[in-house]
């Protein structure tokens, strides 16, 4: 609405985006417009008929509502006036191809613009047809905004998860109820000096241990014993903790926690410095006690 109380007129599409008038082509009738019950007043699927000159010949109430208009306000208006600018060229090509007969059917994801400025994601199934005795393009339109939002939310969640995993100071390994890898982070492969490009979801724990055993820094590990330890944790419903010592002198602590589905999450931490400090403190206390004893 403008200051006079009248609805603001939409800006027209740019000349270079206007749909061309193409020669008439023969084709089957898509439907008979005057046939009873053929008004396409669906409330789930939008229907639009576009003439060769790019104007809207017919639009059902549902699709008109997606852009905040009524069918009467949209009929005879350029279709591209209601399409987001970034998608106008693609929509123009689809209409042109359908009208000219180059394509009988076309499917694509696109957007329409609500008069409030909101962009609505849609899926379009376009087909060639005859309307008012002339070649035209008919589009069946579905609002996929909810799906796109869910996909974006999932992508955002995945991105946050990967960021969190990459910044963890501990190594993480998640196994399913059958002992196969579901998830791991880069810190896990760093701790065990595993080739990250060879670690894959779906690997059995025995395969992971075999991969690690091939590394000199892990040759003192007991693959069968470690695997057996984790197998007891899987489905056991109990938490556990163990420490193993590498040939290079590092001490790695592994804490495992069960998951509801029978799998297990294992956290790995290099506690070498921690143990060295604890040992140094213990040695210092022992020396102090010895000194005090000798003074008495």
């Amino acid at each position: 609405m403008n200051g006079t109380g009248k609805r603001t007129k939409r800006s027209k599409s740019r000349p270079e985006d206007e749909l061309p008038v193409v020669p008439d082509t023969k084709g089957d009738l898509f439907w008979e417009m005057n046939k009873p019950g053929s008004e396409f007043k669906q409330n789930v699927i939008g229907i639009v008929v576009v003439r060769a000159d790019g104007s809207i010949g017919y639009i059902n109430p549902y699709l008109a509502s997606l852009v905040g208009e009524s069918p009467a306000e949209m009929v005879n208006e350029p279709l591209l006036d209601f399409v987001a600018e970034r998608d106008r060229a693609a929509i123009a090509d689809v209409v042109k191809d359908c009208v000219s007969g180059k394509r009988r059917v076309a499917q694509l994801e696109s957007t329409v613009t609500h008069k409030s400025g909101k962009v609505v994601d849609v899926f379009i199934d376009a087909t060639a047809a005859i309307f008012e005795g002339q070649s035209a393009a008919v589009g069946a339109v579905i609002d996929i905004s909810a799906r796109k939002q869910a996909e974006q939310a999932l992508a955002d969640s995945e991105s946050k998860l990967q960021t969190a995993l990459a910044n963890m100071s501990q190594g993480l390994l998640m196994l399913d109820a059958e002992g196969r890898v579901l998830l791991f982070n880069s810190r896990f492969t760093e701790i065990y000096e595993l080739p990250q490009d060879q670690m894959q979801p779906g690997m059995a724990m025995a395969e992971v241990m075999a991969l690690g055993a091939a590394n000199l820094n892990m040759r003192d590990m007991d693959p069968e014993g470690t695997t057996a330890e984790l197998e007891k944790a899987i489905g056991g419903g109990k938490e556990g903790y163990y420490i193993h010592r590498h040939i290079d002198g590092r001490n790695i602590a592994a804490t495992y926690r069960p998951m509801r589905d029978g799998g297990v999450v294992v956290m790995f931490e290099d506690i070498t410095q921690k143990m060295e400090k604890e040992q140094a403190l213990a040695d210092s206390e022992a020396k102090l006690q010895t000194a005090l004893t000798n003074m008495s």
Side-chain angles (χ1 to χ4, degrees):
M1 302 289 286
N2 57 26
T4 63
K6 296 182 179 180
R7 185 169 61 87
T8 302
K9 190 69 174 179
R10 287 177 179 270
S11 60
K12 297 297 182 180
S13 54
R14 297 173 299 174
E16 60 267 30
D17 289 333
E18 291 181 358
L19 301 177
V21 178
V22 296
D24 187 17
T25 59
K26 295 181 180 180
D28 296 330
L29 288 174
F30 183 74
W31 80 89
E32 298 176 18
M33 288 298 296
N34 296 321
K35 184 177 180 180
S38 63
E39 293 84 359
F40 290 97
K41 293 183 178 178
Q42 298 95 331
N43 57 8
V44 177
I45 299 177
I47 300 293
V48 63
V49 182
V50 185
R51 301 186 183 96
D53 64 358
S55 65
I56 297 173
Y58 172 85
I59 187 167
N60 72 339
Y62 174 72
L63 182 51
S65 70
L66 292 184
V67 297
E69 306 282 6
S70 68
E73 293 174 310
M74 297 182 68
V75 169
N76 296 324
E77 293 293 323
L79 171 67
L80 295 183
D81 285 355
F82 305 95
V83 176
E85 186 171 353
R86 67 173 182 264
D87 293 326
R88 286 178 178 175
I91 294 297
D93 286 342
V94 168
V95 174
K96 176 182 177 181
D97 288 349
C98 287
V99 171
S100 67
K102 183 178 180 180
R103 283 194 284 182
R104 292 296 300 264
V105 177
Q107 295 182 333
L108 73 159
E109 291 186 3
S110 186
T111 55
V112 294
T113 305
H114 191 276
K115 65 181 180 182
S116 66
K118 176 184 176 182
V119 175
V120 181
D121 293 294
V122 295
F123 175 79
I124 303 172
D125 190 345
T127 185
I130 299 297
F131 177 69
E132 299 175 335
Q134 301 293 323
S135 296
V138 177
V141 183
I142 301 174
D143 182 355
I144 59 171
S145 298
R147 192 198 81 189
K148 298 292 284 188
Q149 290 171 3
E151 290 175 351
Q152 186 59 52
L154 181 61
D156 291 344
S157 178
E158 176 67 18
S159 176
K160 291 177 181 178
L161 173 61
Q162 292 302 323
T163 299
L165 291 175
N167 288 282
M168 289 178 62
S169 61
Q170 296 176 313
L172 179 143
L173 179 66
M174 183 182 294
L175 304 173
D176 65 15
E178 296 181 354
R180 295 191 174 277
V181 176
L182 290 175
L183 184 70
F184 64 93
N185 68 351
S186 58
R187 181 56 180 153
F188 169 72
T189 59
E190 289 172 2
I191 288 176
Y192 289 111
E193 300 182 16
L194 299 172
Q196 191 166 349
D197 59 343
Q198 295 183 35
M199 276 288 297
Q200 298 293 333
M203 292 178 65
M205 189 58 200
E207 294 177 294
V208 177
M209 298 305 298
L211 187 63
N215 188 301
L216 290 177
N217 284 341
M218 296 180 68
R219 67 186 181 189
D220 62 328
M221 287 185 63
D222 177 8
E224 293 184 0
T226 302
T227 301
E229 187 74 20
L230 291 176
E231 286 178 347
K232 287 192 298 182
I234 295 173
K238 295 182 179 180
E239 297 184 0
Y241 179 85
Y242 65 91
I243 298 174
H244 62 258
R245 184 178 179 83
H246 282 203
I247 194 172
D248 63 2
R250 289 184 300 147
N251 294 286
I252 306 300
T255 303
Y256 53 87
R257 296 182 175 86
M259 297 190 297
R260 291 183 179 181
D261 62 1
V264 63
V265 177
V266 191
M267 304 296 294
F268 299 89
E269 182 179 7
D270 186 341
I271 60 171
T272 305
Q273 292 185 356
K274 178 182 178 181
M275 292 184 67
E276 289 175 349
K277 289 180 180 179
E278 290 176 348
Q279 185 59 51
L281 179 60
D283 292 343
S284 178
E285 290 179 347
K287 290 179 181 179
L288 177 60
Q289 289 298 326
T290 300
L292 292 175
T293 300
N294 293 332
M295 290 175 61
S296 58

